[in-house]
Amino acid sequence: MRDMYMAHSELAAVVLAAGQGTRMKSALHKVLHPVGGKALVRHLLDTVATLEPTRTVMVIGDNADQLKAAITGVEFAVQDKQLGTGHAVRCAMPALEGFGGNILVLYGDVPFVTAGAMQSMLDTMQATADCGLVVLGFRTDDPAAYGRLIVGTDGALERIVEYKDASAKERAVNFCNSGMMLISGAHAAGWLDALTCDNAAGEYYLTDLVAIARASGAHVGHVETAETDLIGVNSRAELAAADAAFQTRARAGAMAAGVTLVAPDTVFFSHDTALAADVTVEPNVVFGPGVRVDAGVTIKAFSHIEGATVRKGASVGPFARLRPAADIGEGAKIGNFVEIKKSKLAAGVKVSHLSYIGDATIGADANIGAGTITCNYDGFLKYNTHIGAGAFIGSNSALVAPVTIGDGAIVGAGSVMTKDVPGDALAVSRARQRDIKGYATRFRAEKQIEKAEKQATRTKKES
Ligand code: UD1
Ligand code: MG
């Protein structure tokens, strides 16, 4: 039954992103600024993709090449001059030639509209006879310069009046236009052609479609959504606010999924951070993109983790840095001031203090002493280090790659390894220790005399 009811016509998404975004003061296009490690507009595109639109067209103008290079999976339509939102949608129409389905208009810089709000718009269109248009509105205590939704006594939307064109009475309305709307495919082209720029801004307002649709006898529906889902990003301050909102959702999502966040407000997520149930995250941890953490792991305070996998029961930090392609095995322990890059550590490996491990593989239960460095770079190329299972690397050792330390081998503290070490061998590469008996006593006695003589000469000069 629901399937029949839901059998709506095909959908096209039109994402407006031709605006200049001058308030960002950035060489990067406004909609490409990241939130949670993902471009603003990508958040929106990923949400709209859940509705499975047949076509997605992005209307671009400023910095068009940047957008074309950065965004995949959409068609582009160019709006050379920004003559208004209505004109922008018109510019998308040639790309939709031959497409008869409904058109969902979205703004590239309003990235967090929910799939639920979009679905309500589709449902409203579907459920209402002769519905030609559905507008997404919101109520706010601070309607500022938003367009106002003017609803008739019958509860139906009559028109949208832009702030610049609104009377004092209309400006007092707090029901506002989000900018998003769903336009019936059957009417879109004709109604868009009927738009004029006869208004205070001299622009083709998309919002005039409401009055045009009504005049042609179509019903216009409206759906309300929460103001908080309509955060727009026009400035760095708004970008920060968008990120804060994203973080709030990500933290709540993680906790709902069984993750302990000791101090949620100090933990920062990326769009794809995957933390299993019973992961504990201590305060002040940053997750860059591409992180997967399995059950029972503790990420201790002040760790920075990106592109890394941390397997069951491992412990990371405090003050650890895991960089891309770090793979930390089950029950492994990464301690303070340890940096790991592109390295696979098997189960039970311990790297507890002050080390750099890069381009390495480390076998199960190996123990890497404090201050061990894999010297993976000669200024030109990178080389690999292999440390066998059960090996013990003494503190303050330098492993000059390419080099292999065999299974069960021991490297003496303070060694520099430039050659492979056989399994179960002891390798030491440092000057042999020499003890000179009584030297320290003689040394102190001589120095005390020397110091006393110097002081005596100084006192003589001063008197
Ligand atoms: C628009 C709405 C207003 C609504 C507000 C919500 C109109 C006429 N007004 O106003 O009712 O309350 O959004 O934020 O639609 N764009 C283009 N090409 C253009 C103009 C705009 O691509 O020629 C894009 C912008 O990049 C932006 C979006 O459309 O993503 C909205 O444009 P903006 O100038 O911010 O519209 P507002 O004047 O704020
Ligand atoms: Mg705006």
Side-chain angles (χ1 to χ4, degrees):
M1 192 46 204
R2 183 161 170 83
D3 276 357
M4 234 173 76
Y5 166 73
M6 290 298 291
H8 50 69
S9 59
E10 286 186 291
L11 179 70
V14 171
V15 177
L16 305 190
Q20 295 192 333
T22 44
R23 275 193 285 151
M24 286 299 276
K25 301 203 171 109
S26 177
L28 183 67
H29 193 289
K30 174 166 78 168
V31 303
L32 293 180
H33 279 263
V35 157
K38 180 159 91 171
L40 285 170
V41 71
R42 194 75 250 173
H43 283 273
L44 180 69
L45 292 171
D46 288 350
T47 303
V48 78
T50 64
L51 303 177
E52 301 181 344
T54 358
R55 313 281 292 271
T56 301
V57 181
M58 230 173 119
V59 181
I60 58 177
D62 234 40
N63 274 337
D65 291 341
Q66 251 184 24
L67 286 168
K68 284 181 178 170
I71 305 295
T72 55
V74 304
E75 299 165 66
F76 293 98
V78 176
Q79 184 193 27
D80 284 322
K81 274 196 186 142
Q82 277 76 69
L83 301 179
T85 48
H87 180 258
V89 177
R90 242 194 227 171
C91 290
M93 293 310 278
L96 294 176
E97 184 75 53
F99 174 81
N102 296 331
I103 299 171
L104 178 62
V105 179
L106 301 161
Y107 287 178
D109 53 1
V110 183
F112 299 125
V113 192
T114 62
M118 296 179 195
Q119 187 63 54
S120 295
M121 295 167 78
L122 299 179
D123 293 348
T124 301
M125 175 81 86
Q126 201 67 30
T128 322
D130 300 325
C131 187
L133 196 65
V134 179
V135 171
L136 183 66
F138 64 102
R139 290 182 200 276
T140 173
D141 294 335
D142 179 21
Y146 287 112
R148 307 296 204 267
L149 300 189
I150 309 300
V151 175
T153 43
D154 60 351
L157 186 61
E158 279 179 355
R159 61 200 165 87
I160 303 177
V161 57
E162 286 304 293
Y163 179 78
K164 280 187 184 169
D165 303 283
S167 64
K169 198 174 155 216
E170 287 164 335
R171 286 181 181 180
V173 171
N174 73 345
F175 192 25
C176 293
N177 178 28
S178 73
M180 270 122 270
M181 60 172 76
L182 180 66
I183 314 168
S184 136
H187 300 291
W191 290 349
L192 287 165
D193 277 346
L195 292 176
T196 68
C197 54
D198 184 15
N199 52 53
E203 286 182 0
Y204 294 91
Y205 290 164
L206 183 64
T207 46
D208 285 347
L209 285 195
V210 175
I212 292 171
R214 289 289 300 250
S216 79
H219 176 82
V220 175
H222 61 274
V223 166
E224 231 179 287
T225 194
E227 186 182 7
T228 45
D229 291 337
L230 296 171
I231 296 173
V233 178
N234 299 292
S235 63
R236 305 281 178 161
E238 286 174 355
L239 181 66
D243 200 80
F246 165 80
Q247 295 300 343
T248 302
R249 277 198 304 278
R251 289 163 191 151
M255 290 188 284
V259 174
T260 293
L261 301 180
V262 175
D265 290 350
T266 68
V267 177
F268 292 84
F269 288 84
S270 281
H271 64 98
D272 59 352
T273 306
L275 307 183
D278 289 323
V279 165
T280 296
V281 183
E282 291 185 358
N284 297 297
V285 170
V286 175
F287 293 103
V291 173
R292 191 195 100 194
V293 180
D294 294 348
V297 167
T298 299
I299 308 288
K300 295 186 180 170
F302 295 99
S303 293
H304 189 282
I305 300 177
E306 59 183 323
T309 302
V310 184
R311 295 174 195 272
K312 237 175 157 179
S315 153
V316 173
F319 297 101
R321 176 160 186 220
L322 301 184
R323 291 172 52 204
D327 184 334
I328 310 303
E330 269 189 47
K333 184 175 182 299
I334 307 302
N336 42 224
F337 308 109
V338 170
E339 172 181 346
I340 300 196
K341 184 216 80 166
K342 204 178 174 190
S343 294
K344 188 163 170 56
L345 279 55
V349 168
K350 288 197 174 77
V351 192
S352 298
H353 333 265
L354 301 156
S355 286
Y356 171 68
I357 304 293
D359 302 304
T361 58
I362 306 185
D365 299 319
N367 190 312
I368 312 299
T372 298
I373 307 290
T374 54
C375 309
N376 61 331
Y377 185 50
D378 61 6
F380 295 90
L381 294 168
K382 302 268 170 78
Y383 304 91
N384 297 322
T385 300
H386 301 289
I387 300 172
F392 181 96
I393 311 297
S395 294
N396 200 31
S397 293
L399 310 178
V400 183
V403 69
T404 295
I405 313 296
D407 289 355
I410 296 176
V411 171
S415 291
V416 178
M417 293 292 110
T418 53
K419 287 189 313 193
D420 291 354
V421 177
D424 293 317
L426 165 68
V428 197
S429 77
R430 56 178 191 234
R432 205 172 260 284
Q433 185 168 328
R434 191 162 69 105
D435 301 333
I436 305 171
K437 294 244 168 74
Y439 178 92
T441 313
R442 289 200 301 280
F443 177 79
R444 279 194 292 270
E446 281 167 20
K447 285 291 168 188
Q448 254 154 22
I449 292 166
E450 201 180 314
K451 194 173 173 185
E453 283 172 358
K454 274 224 169 96
Q455 262 163 3
T457 341
R458 209 178 299 142
T459 327
K460 218 173 175 184
K461 268 191 190 157
E462 281 165 10
S463 61

